[in-house]
Coordinates of all heavy atoms in Angstrom, one line a residue:
I1321 N 77.0 -130.9 25.2 CA 77.6 -131.8 24.2 C 76.5 -132.9 23.9 O 75.5 -133.0 24.7 CB 78.9 -132.5 24.7 CG1 78.5 -133.3 26.0 CG2 80.0 -131.5 24.9 CD1 79.7 -134.2 26.4
K1322 N 76.8 -133.7 22.9 CA 75.9 -134.9 22.7 C 76.1 -135.8 23.8 O 77.2 -136.1 24.3 CB 76.3 -135.5 21.3 CG 76.1 -134.8 20.1 CD 76.5 -135.5 18.9 CE 76.4 -134.6 17.6 NZ 77.0 -135.3 16.5
Q1323 N 75.0 -136.5 24.1 CA 75.1 -137.5 25.2 C 76.1 -138.6 24.9 O 76.8 -139.1 25.8 CB 73.7 -138.1 25.4 CG 73.6 -139.0 26.6 CD 72.2 -139.4 27.0 OE1 71.3 -139.2 26.2 NE2 72.1 -140.1 28.1
S1324 N 76.3 -139.0 23.7 CA 77.2 -140.0 23.2 C 78.6 -139.7 23.5 O 79.5 -140.5 23.5 CB 76.9 -140.4 21.8 OG 77.1 -139.3 20.9
D1325 N 78.9 -138.3 23.5 CA 80.3 -137.9 23.8 C 80.6 -137.7 25.3 O 81.8 -137.4 25.6 CB 80.5 -136.5 23.1 CG 80.4 -136.6 21.6 OD1 80.8 -137.7 21.1 OD2 80.0 -135.6 21.0
Y1326 N 79.7 -138.0 26.2 CA 79.9 -137.8 27.6 C 81.1 -138.6 28.1 O 82.0 -138.0 28.8 CB 78.6 -138.2 28.4 CG 78.9 -138.2 29.9 CD1 79.0 -137.0 30.6 CD2 79.0 -139.4 30.6 CE1 79.2 -137.0 32.0 CE2 79.3 -139.4 31.9 CZ 79.4 -138.2 32.6 OH 79.6 -138.2 34.0
A1327 N 81.2 -139.9 27.9 CA 82.3 -140.7 28.4 C 83.6 -140.3 27.8 O 84.6 -140.3 28.6 CB 82.0 -142.2 28.0
Y1328 N 83.6 -139.9 26.5 CA 84.9 -139.4 26.0 C 85.4 -138.1 26.7 O 86.5 -137.9 27.1 CB 84.7 -139.0 24.5 CG 85.9 -138.4 23.9 CD1 87.1 -139.1 23.7 CD2 85.9 -137.1 23.5 CE1 88.2 -138.6 23.1 CE2 87.0 -136.5 22.9 CZ 88.2 -137.3 22.7 OH 89.3 -136.7 22.2
L1329 N 84.4 -137.1 27.0 CA 84.8 -135.9 27.7 C 85.3 -136.3 29.1 O 86.2 -135.6 29.6 CB 83.6 -135.0 27.8 CG 83.9 -133.6 28.3 CD1 85.0 -132.9 27.5 CD2 82.7 -132.8 28.4
V1330 N 84.7 -137.2 29.8 CA 85.1 -137.5 31.1 C 86.5 -138.1 31.0 O 87.4 -137.7 31.9 CB 84.1 -138.5 31.8 CG1 84.8 -139.2 33.0 CG2 82.9 -137.9 32.1
D1331 N 86.8 -138.9 30.0 CA 88.2 -139.5 29.8 C 89.2 -138.3 29.6 O 90.3 -138.3 30.1 CB 88.2 -140.5 28.7 CG 87.6 -141.7 29.0 OD1 87.4 -142.0 30.2 OD2 87.3 -142.5 28.1
V1332 N 88.8 -137.4 28.7 CA 89.7 -136.2 28.5 C 90.0 -135.4 29.8 O 91.2 -135.1 30.0 CB 89.0 -135.3 27.4 CG1 89.8 -134.0 27.3 CG2 89.0 -136.0 26.0
V1333 N 88.9 -135.2 30.5 CA 89.2 -134.4 31.8 C 90.1 -135.2 32.7 O 91.1 -134.6 33.3 CB 87.8 -134.1 32.5 CG1 88.0 -133.7 33.9 CG2 86.9 -133.1 31.8
N1334 N 89.8 -136.4 32.9 CA 90.7 -137.3 33.8 C 92.1 -137.4 33.3 O 93.1 -137.3 34.1 CB 90.1 -138.7 34.0 CG 88.8 -138.6 34.9 OD1 88.7 -137.7 35.8 ND2 87.9 -139.5 34.6
H1335 N 92.3 -137.5 32.0 CA 93.7 -137.6 31.5 C 94.4 -136.4 31.6 O 95.6 -136.3 31.9 CB 93.6 -138.1 30.0 CG 94.9 -138.3 29.4 ND1 95.5 -137.3 28.7 CD2 95.7 -139.3 29.4 CE1 96.7 -137.8 28.2 NE2 96.8 -139.0 28.7
A1336 N 93.7 -135.2 31.3 CA 94.4 -133.9 31.4 C 94.8 -133.7 32.9 O 96.0 -133.2 33.1 CB 93.4 -132.8 30.9
A1337 N 94.0 -134.0 33.8 CA 94.4 -133.8 35.2 C 95.4 -134.7 35.7 O 96.5 -134.4 36.3 CB 93.2 -134.1 36.1
Q1338 N 95.5 -136.0 35.2 CA 96.5 -136.9 35.5 C 97.8 -136.5 34.9 O 98.8 -136.6 35.6 CB 96.1 -138.3 35.1 CG 97.1 -139.4 35.5 CD 96.6 -140.8 35.0 OE1 95.8 -140.9 34.0 NE2 97.0 -141.8 35.7
S1339 N 97.8 -136.1 33.7 CA 99.0 -135.7 33.0 C 99.6 -134.5 33.7 O 100.9 -134.3 33.7 CB 98.7 -135.3 31.5 OG 98.3 -136.5 30.9
A1340 N 98.8 -133.6 34.3 CA 99.4 -132.4 35.0 C 99.7 -132.7 36.5 O 100.1 -131.8 37.2 CB 98.4 -131.3 34.8
G1341 N 99.4 -133.9 36.9 CA 99.6 -134.2 38.3 C 98.7 -133.7 39.3 O 98.9 -133.5 40.5
I1342 N 97.4 -133.5 38.8 CA 96.3 -132.9 39.7 C 95.6 -134.1 40.3 O 95.1 -135.0 39.6 CB 95.4 -132.1 38.8 CG1 96.1 -131.1 37.9 CG2 94.2 -131.5 39.6 CD1 96.8 -130.0 38.7
P1343 N 95.6 -134.0 41.6 CA 94.8 -135.1 42.3 C 93.4 -135.0 42.1 O 92.8 -134.0 41.8 CB 95.2 -134.9 43.8 CG 95.8 -133.6 43.9 CD 96.2 -133.1 42.6
R1344 N 92.6 -136.1 42.2 CA 91.2 -136.2 41.9 C 90.4 -135.3 42.8 O 89.3 -134.8 42.5 CB 90.7 -137.7 42.0 CG 89.3 -137.9 41.7 CD 89.1 -137.6 40.2 NE 87.8 -137.9 39.7 CZ 86.8 -137.1 39.6 NH1 86.9 -135.9 40.1 NH2 85.6 -137.5 39.2
D1345 N 90.9 -135.0 44.0 CA 90.1 -134.2 45.0 C 90.1 -132.7 44.6 O 89.5 -131.9 45.3 CB 90.5 -134.4 46.4 CG 91.9 -134.0 46.7 OD1 92.8 -133.9 45.7 OD2 92.3 -133.9 47.9
E1346 N 90.8 -132.3 43.5 CA 91.0 -130.9 43.1 C 90.0 -130.6 42.0 O 89.8 -129.4 41.6 CB 92.4 -130.5 42.7 CG 93.3 -130.5 43.9 CD 94.7 -129.9 43.5 OE1 94.8 -129.2 42.5 OE2 95.7 -130.2 44.3
Y1347 N 89.2 -131.5 41.5 CA 88.2 -131.3 40.5 C 87.1 -132.4 40.6 O 87.3 -133.4 41.2 CB 88.8 -131.3 39.1 CG 89.2 -132.6 38.6 CD1 88.4 -133.4 37.8 CD2 90.5 -133.2 39.0 CE1 88.8 -134.7 37.3 CE2 90.9 -134.4 38.5 CZ 90.0 -135.1 37.7 OH 90.4 -136.4 37.3
D1348 N 85.9 -132.0 40.1 CA 84.8 -133.0 40.2 C 83.8 -132.7 39.0 O 83.6 -131.4 38.7 CB 84.1 -132.9 41.5 CG 83.2 -134.0 41.7 OD1 83.3 -135.0 41.0 OD2 82.4 -133.9 42.7
I1349 N 83.2 -133.6 38.4 CA 82.2 -133.5 37.5 C 80.9 -133.6 38.3 O 80.5 -134.6 38.8 CB 82.2 -134.6 36.4 CG1 83.5 -134.5 35.6 CG2 81.0 -134.4 35.5 CD1 83.8 -135.5 34.6
K1350 N 80.3 -132.4 38.5 CA 79.2 -132.2 39.5 C 77.9 -132.6 39.0 O 77.2 -133.4 39.6 CB 79.1 -130.8 40.0 CG 80.3 -130.4 40.9 CD 80.3 -131.3 42.1 CE 80.3 -130.5 43.3 NZ 80.4 -131.3 44.5
T1351 N 77.5 -132.2 37.8 CA 76.1 -132.4 37.3 C 76.1 -132.8 35.9 O 76.9 -132.3 35.1 CB 75.2 -131.2 37.6 OG1 75.8 -130.0 36.9 CG2 75.1 -130.9 39.1
V1352 N 75.1 -133.6 35.5 CA 74.8 -133.8 34.1 C 73.3 -133.7 34.0 O 72.5 -134.4 34.7 CB 75.2 -135.2 33.8 CG1 74.9 -135.6 32.3 CG2 76.7 -135.5 34.1
H1353 N 72.9 -132.8 33.1 CA 71.5 -132.6 32.9 C 71.2 -132.9 31.4 O 71.8 -132.3 30.5 CB 71.1 -131.1 33.2 CG 71.2 -130.8 34.6 ND1 70.4 -131.2 35.6 CD2 72.2 -130.0 35.2 CE1 70.8 -130.7 36.8 NE2 71.9 -130.0 36.5
A1354 N 70.2 -133.7 31.2 CA 69.7 -134.0 29.8 C 68.9 -132.8 29.3 O 68.2 -132.2 30.1 CB 68.9 -135.3 29.8
I1355 N 69.1 -132.5 28.1 CA 68.3 -131.3 27.5 C 67.3 -131.9 26.6 O 67.6 -132.5 25.6 CB 69.2 -130.3 26.8 CG1 70.2 -129.8 27.7 CG2 68.4 -129.2 26.1 CD1 71.3 -128.9 27.0
S1356 N 66.1 -131.8 27.0 CA 64.9 -132.3 26.1 C 64.6 -131.2 25.1 O 64.6 -130.0 25.4 CB 63.8 -132.8 26.9 OG 63.3 -131.7 27.7

Side-chain angles (χ1 to χ4, degrees):
I1321 62 171
K1322 293 179 187 173
Q1323 186 172 10
S1324 59
D1325 292 330
Y1326 171 75
Y1328 175 70
L1329 186 61
V1330 169
D1331 287 343
V1332 166
V1333 168
N1334 289 330
H1335 184 265
Q1338 184 179 27
S1339 294
I1342 306 299
R1344 185 66 172 94
D1345 63 344
E1346 290 189 22
Y1347 70 96
D1348 196 15
I1349 298 174
K1350 288 301 234 184
T1351 56
V1352 178
H1353 297 285
I1355 300 172
S1356 59

